[in-house]
Amino acid sequence: MERVRLLVFNAVLNVLDYRVPPGMTVEPGTVVVAPLGPRQILGIVWEAERLNGAEVPDTKLRAILEVLPVPPIPAQLRRLIEWTADYYCASMQSVARMALASSAALRGGGTTTEYRLTGEEPARLTPQRAAALDALQGEQGSIRELAELASVSEGVLRGMVGAGLLEPVVVDCDRPYPPALPDFAEPELNPGQREAADTFVAAVRDGGFAPFLLDGVTGSGKTETYFEAVAEALRNGRQVLVLLPEIALTENFLRRFEQRFGVPPLLWHSSLKSSERRRAWRAIVHGPENGGAQVVVGARSALFLPYAKLGLIVVDEAHEVSFKQDDGVRYNARDVAVIRARFEGVPVILASATPALESLQLAEAGVYTRIELPDRFGGAQLPEVKIVDLRTEAPERGRWLAPRLVEEMKARLARGEQSLLFLNRRGYAPLTLCRHCGHRFQCPNCTAWLVEHRFSSRLACHHCGHETPVPELCPECGTADCLVACGPGVERIADEVGELLPDARVAVVTSDTLNSREAVGRFVAQAEEGAIDVIVGTQLVTKGYHFPELTLVGVVDADLGLEGGDLRAGERTYQQIAQVSGRAGRGEKPGEVLIQTRHPEAAVISALASGDRDAFYEAETQARREAGAPPFGRWAAIIVSSEDQAEAQQAARAIGGTAPDQPDMLVLGPAPAPMALLRGRYRYRLLINARRSAELQKYLQGWLGPLQFPQGVRVAIDIDPYSFV
C-alpha cells in the first residue's frame, strides 16, 4: 500500500496522511481531493520527510478521492512555500493557499457562459436598468460579476436578459492569449542602457541565479533596459514575472509593454473577475506553449503562482513599502522574489531610482550586481531643487501654498506647462472639530480621526473604511454651522489652487479618484493631451508617470513623513520626495522642484536640496548601524489584539513576562500600539531588536509556541516590520 502525506487546507489541521487507491498515480506537488469526516478537503502531496505529522497506522488511513487535472506544484515552489512559512513564522497552509489562488481553475478548462449588452435600448427603463446600461458598456462577465460592477441586484440583470438587453456568450475558459513578439519594436538605447541591457540579456541566456540592482535616476529608461531581458526570455520560451507595487501604475506600464511587444501582458491582481483569474491561473501553470502565459504583470500575490517555465523576475520600484504585506502572511515581496529566483535558478532585477538601504548594502557586499544609470534618457536634465523655508516664506493666512510656489505655478500656466503639487494626505482635512465645544470626530472602530472628504460629503476612516455623512449639527453640543476643518488634504489644496488660479484645470489624483484601470487611463490621456494644468496628488503620482510638459513640482509639506514613530521615516521621506521630484523636466523643457519645509536643516531635506543622495544614505547607514537596525540588525514585532481590551492586555503581559533572556536579543514592551484600537480590536505590541546572527525565528517559535491564549486573542508575528502602528 502506498501512503502519502498531504498539506491540507483545513482551518485546524495542516498535515494528514492518506493512502493512494489502486490505479491512482500521485507525486509530490499533486493537488488532490481527500475526505475529512463527512466533508471533502483540498490537499497537496508533499514529501513526508519535509513535513512533520503524526504517524497513523495503515489500517486507519482513508483513501484519496480524486487527483485534480492540473500540473503538480513544482519542487522549486514547494521549497519557496517552506522557506516563506519558516522565515515569516507563518503556517505553510496559508502560504500554499496563495499558490492555488483560483479554486475554479483546479477543475480544468471547459466553457462558461458570460453576458454582455446587446445594444438594445427600450423607450422606457427603470432607474436600476438605466444605471446598469451605463455601467456595463464594454463589459462582459457572469451575472454575479456584472451585478457587482453595476451595483445592482442579480435579479435586475436576469430581468435584462429576459428583456433582450443582455445576451449570453459561451466562452472557452482556456482560450489562448495572443503571443508577445520579442522583436516587435526594438528601441534605440543610449550606450549606458545598452551596456546594462546586454548584461541582463546575457544573464537570461546563460540561466542560473543572478540578482541585479538596477539603480537609475528617474527618467533614465530603466524599463526599456529590462525589457530587453524580457525579450530574451521570450525568445527562449521562458516566462517572465514583473511585480509592480501599485495597480494604479499598471495602465501606464501596459501601454509601454504593448508598444514594445505588440500585445499587452497577462495581468494578475485582486480586482480580476473570477473568470479572468481562472483563465490566467491555468495559462500560467501550462506555460508559454499553446497560448499560455508568457509575461505576467502583477501585484505581490503574483509571486507565489505556479509558473511552468519561469526565466526572469523583475521587481519594479523595488523600494516601495507596498511590497510588504501587513496582514495574513506578512511577507516582503521584494525579498521573497530574490529567494524565488534563487530556488528557480533564474535572474532577478530589482529596479529603482531610490533603492532601499538593505538593497544597497547587499550590492556593496557583492551579493547583488549593481547596474547604474546615472543620466536621464535623451539628454533631459534632472530638475533644479529649491527649498521654501515656511518660517520665512509663510503662506497667506488660511492658505497652504507659499507665495513663491504660487508665482511659479502662474508662470507655468501662462507658458502652457503643467505643475504637480504633492501632499501625501487624502481627503479635504485630516481632522474636523466643533469650534463651539471642541468635539473632535473620531472613528468608533479605530484610534484615528475621521478625515473629511468634500467630494463625497463624508467623514471617513482610512484604516477600517468606516464612513458617515458630515452632520449639520455638532453631535456633542448640537450647535449648527460650527464644524471646522483642520489641516490640509489634497482636496483642500485643489480648492486653493482653484481660488488662486481660476483658469487652471485641476486634477486630484489619489486612490479615491483613480480606483480603476479606466480612471487611470482617462487621467493619463488628459494629462498627455494637455487637458490638465495642475495635478494635485498623493504618493500615487510619485512614480511611473511621464508627462513631458510637466516642469514644476511643489512638495506642499515635506515634513509630514518625518512625523510619528516610523523607524524608516527618513529613508521613506527621501524616496517619496525624490520620486515625485523626478516627474519634473522629463521632456525637453527643464524642470524645477520647490520643497516647502519648516526644517530645512534636516538631513533628508539637505540631501534633496543638494542632490547628494550618497551623503544621505551614508548618514542613514551610520544611524542604522549604531541602532542595530536593518540591515545591520534584525527587527520583529509581536502584535496582540482582542475585542476585549483587558484580555488583549493580559495576553500581551503574559508574552512579555515569558520573554527569553538572550544576549543577542532585546525585547521592548509590551505597550499599547500607536493605533491602540484598529477595526474594533484593542492592540498591544512588542518589538524585538536582535543581532544579525541571532536565530530570531527559532527564538520566537520556542517562546510563543507553548503559550495558550483565549479564543478571542490573536497573536501575529511580523518579521522585518515596515509598519509600526
Side-chain angles (χ1 to χ4, degrees):
M1 182 195 71
E2 182 183 1
R3 64 186 293 157
V4 292
R5 181 154 292 174
L6 300 188
L7 177 67
V8 296
F9 294 87
N10 175 270
V12 178
L13 303 170
N14 284 336
V15 180
L16 290 173
D17 287 356
Y18 287 86
R19 63 181 173 84
V20 181
M24 180 182 290
T25 302
V26 300
E27 61 180 285
T30 301
V31 184
V32 302
V33 176
L36 182 63
R39 297 178 292 113
Q40 296 180 0
I41 59 171
L42 199 65
I44 303 175
V45 178
W46 218 270
E47 297 93 333
E49 67 275 11
R50 304 186 69 92
L51 208 58
N52 292 327
E55 290 294 332
V56 178
D58 291 349
T59 55
K60 292 188 176 182
L61 293 180
R62 300 183 68 181
I64 292 172
L65 299 176
E66 180 185 2
V67 173
L68 294 180
V70 293
I73 301 300
Q76 301 94 319
L77 180 52
R78 299 200 302 276
R79 302 295 83 81
L80 181 75
I81 291 170
E82 293 170 353
W83 183 92
T84 304
D86 181 66
Y87 186 84
Y88 291 104
C89 298
S91 71
M92 281 183 56
Q93 175 193 59
S94 58
V95 181
R97 187 176 284 112
M98 294 188 285
L100 305 182
S102 173
S103 56
L106 301 176
R107 288 293 177 182
T111 61
T112 187
T113 300
E114 297 183 345
Y115 294 84
R116 65 187 178 195
L117 294 174
T118 61
E120 297 289 332
E121 291 197 30
R124 298 182 61 185
L125 281 173
T126 65
Q128 292 90 344
R129 288 188 179 185
L133 283 175
D134 290 338
L136 299 181
Q137 294 294 329
E139 297 290 348
Q140 180 174 309
S142 68
I143 290 293
R144 176 179 295 180
E145 292 165 347
L146 296 181
E148 291 178 359
L149 285 173
S151 299
V152 298
S153 70
E154 294 183 26
V156 170
L157 297 188
R158 296 191 188 282
M160 292 175 65
V161 174
L165 302 180
L166 285 171
E167 62 181 358
V169 181
V170 177
V171 176
D172 179 4
C173 295
D174 286 345
R175 60 195 183 280
Y177 291 91
L181 307 174
D183 304 314
F184 180 77
E186 296 187 53
E188 293 184 11
L189 303 179
N190 63 33
Q193 287 178 306
R194 174 50 59 193
E195 183 178 354
D198 289 345
T199 301
F200 298 148
V201 167
V204 172
R205 185 186 301 125
D206 296 343
F209 174 57
F212 295 97
L213 176 61
L214 178 54
D215 181 4
V217 299
T218 54
S220 59
K222 295 184 291 295
T223 304
E224 286 73 16
T225 301
Y226 70 67
F227 270 176
E228 296 309 291
V230 173
E232 183 64 19
L234 293 176
R235 295 186 189 102
N236 294 336
R238 310 292 292 184
Q239 293 173 299
V240 178
L241 168 63
V242 180
L243 293 178
L244 297 179
E246 302 272 2
I247 190 171
L249 294 177
T250 305
E251 188 65 25
N252 189 46
F253 183 91
L254 292 182
R255 293 197 310 158
R256 296 174 70 177
F257 187 94
E258 188 167 357
Q259 290 168 358
R260 171 64 179 86
F261 296 103
V263 298
L266 187 153
L267 282 179
W268 185 274
H269 53 74
S270 59
S271 299
L272 288 180
K273 294 184 294 188
S274 60
S275 57
E276 295 171 329
R277 179 176 291 262
R278 173 180 178 172
R279 179 188 176 199
W281 192 90
R282 290 184 60 79
I284 288 167
V285 301
H286 288 295
E289 296 87 0
N290 304 315
Q294 293 174 295
V295 180
V296 177
V297 174
R300 54 180 177 252
S301 59
L303 182 58
F304 289 94
L305 297 176
Y307 298 93
K309 298 182 67 175
L310 195 58
L312 172 67
I313 300 175
V314 178
V315 184
D316 207 348
E317 306 290 355
H319 64 280
E320 270 296 316
V321 176
S322 52
F323 280 125
K324 181 69 161 69
Q325 174 88 7
D326 279 333
D327 53 20
V329 182
R330 297 170 181 257
Y331 67 97
N332 189 318
R334 178 198 67 210
D335 299 339
V336 179
V338 176
I339 300 299
R340 175 147 202 187
R342 190 182 77 190
F343 284 133
E344 298 279 354
V346 301
V348 56
I349 301 171
L350 309 181
S352 175
T354 53
L357 188 60
E358 289 88 341
S359 299
L360 288 172
Q361 285 296 310
L362 287 168
E364 287 190 12
V367 178
Y368 296 170
T369 300
R370 185 175 178 181
I371 307 293
E372 295 186 79
L373 296 176
D375 301 313
R376 282 190 158 179
F377 181 78
Q381 299 298 310
L382 289 170
E384 182 180 4
V385 179
K386 299 177 181 178
I387 300 300
V388 178
D389 189 342
L390 294 176
R391 298 172 301 183
T392 57
E393 297 183 69
E396 297 178 14
R397 184 176 179 82
R399 298 198 185 279
W400 310 95
L401 303 178
R404 181 159 39 129
L405 177 54
V406 174
E407 290 305 313
E408 292 294 344
M409 292 172 62
K410 289 179 178 178
R412 264 58 180 195
L413 184 62
R415 296 201 297 263
E417 298 171 3
Q418 295 169 321
S419 302
L420 186 157
L421 298 178
F422 169 66
L423 176 65
N424 201 28
R425 184 182 276 156
R426 292 157 51 203
Y428 184 85
L431 171 65
T432 300
L433 56 79
C434 173
R435 68 163 63 92
H436 184 260
C437 70
H439 173 73
R440 300 182 179 192
F441 288 84
Q442 184 170 339
C443 176
N445 308 314
C446 306
T447 312
W449 308 120
L450 293 179
V451 177
E452 182 180 355
H453 287 252
R454 291 205 174 170
F455 287 174
S456 58
S457 299
R458 311 284 286 181
L459 295 172
C461 175
H462 290 171
H463 299 279
C464 72
H466 172 80
E467 287 189 353
T468 184
V470 179
E472 296 181 1
L473 305 177
C474 172
E476 187 72 21
C477 66
T479 306
D481 299 324
C482 62
L483 303 185
V484 180
C486 300
V490 287
E491 292 178 14
R492 193 169 197 170
I493 298 301
D495 280 0
E496 184 173 333
V497 172
E499 295 171 5
L500 296 170
L501 285 73
D503 296 330
R505 296 161 296 179
V506 183
V508 176
V509 179
T510 71
S511 57
D512 300 313
T513 59
L514 298 192
N515 52 12
S516 68
R517 281 185 53 198
E518 292 74 20
V520 175
R522 287 193 297 270
F523 161 67
V524 171
Q526 290 174 341
E528 291 180 342
E529 292 165 3
I532 299 172
D533 300 309
V534 181
I535 301 168
V536 184
T538 60
Q539 63 175 352
L540 214 57
V541 298
T542 63
K543 50 198 173 288
Y545 295 112
H546 176 85
F547 303 133
E549 294 300 317
L550 201 160
T551 59
L552 175 68
V553 167
V555 180
V556 177
D557 187 354
D559 309 320
L560 180 62
L562 298 174
E563 300 169 356
D566 185 349
L567 300 178
R568 290 185 175 88
E571 180 184 23
R572 191 175 300 183
T573 298
Y574 181 87
Q575 289 168 339
Q576 281 190 344
I577 297 178
Q579 290 280 344
V580 76
S581 299
R583 300 311 106 198
R586 295 172 71 93
E588 297 179 357
K589 300 175 182 178
E592 184 177 6
V593 180
L594 295 182
I595 300 177
Q596 295 190 163
T597 177
R598 289 180 175 81
H599 303 285
E601 72 285 349
V604 177
I605 308 300
S606 299
L608 289 163
S610 64
D612 193 347
R613 190 188 78 171
D614 291 344
F616 168 73
Y617 275 121
E618 286 175 10
E620 187 75 6
T621 298
Q622 185 59 31
R624 297 265 193 99
R625 184 180 282 110
E626 292 173 357
F632 307 103
R634 305 282 306 282
W635 280 337
I638 301 174
I639 306 102
V640 184
S641 69
S642 173
E643 294 180 359
D644 184 312
Q645 184 175 12
E647 191 176 63
Q649 184 182 47
Q650 185 176 359
R653 286 177 174 172
I655 293 173
T658 56
D661 184 12
Q662 296 289 341
D664 52 358
M665 189 173 81
L666 173 66
V667 179
L668 304 173
M675 188 69 67
L677 178 66
L678 181 64
R679 302 184 187 96
R681 299 186 66 85
Y682 295 92
R683 305 167 72 245
Y684 288 80
R685 291 180 64 101
L686 297 91
L687 183 64
I688 297 96
N689 184 202
R691 292 178 183 171
R692 195 74 202 166
S693 58
E695 296 182 291
L696 182 57
Q697 286 83 353
K698 182 179 178 181
Y699 291 156
L700 288 169
Q701 291 164 0
W703 173 11
L704 299 179
L707 298 179
Q708 299 291 321
F709 302 103
Q711 189 173 0
V713 172
R714 296 178 192 163
V715 178
I717 299 174
D718 190 357
I719 302 293
D720 305 332
Y722 273 64
S723 172
F724 293 88
V725 300

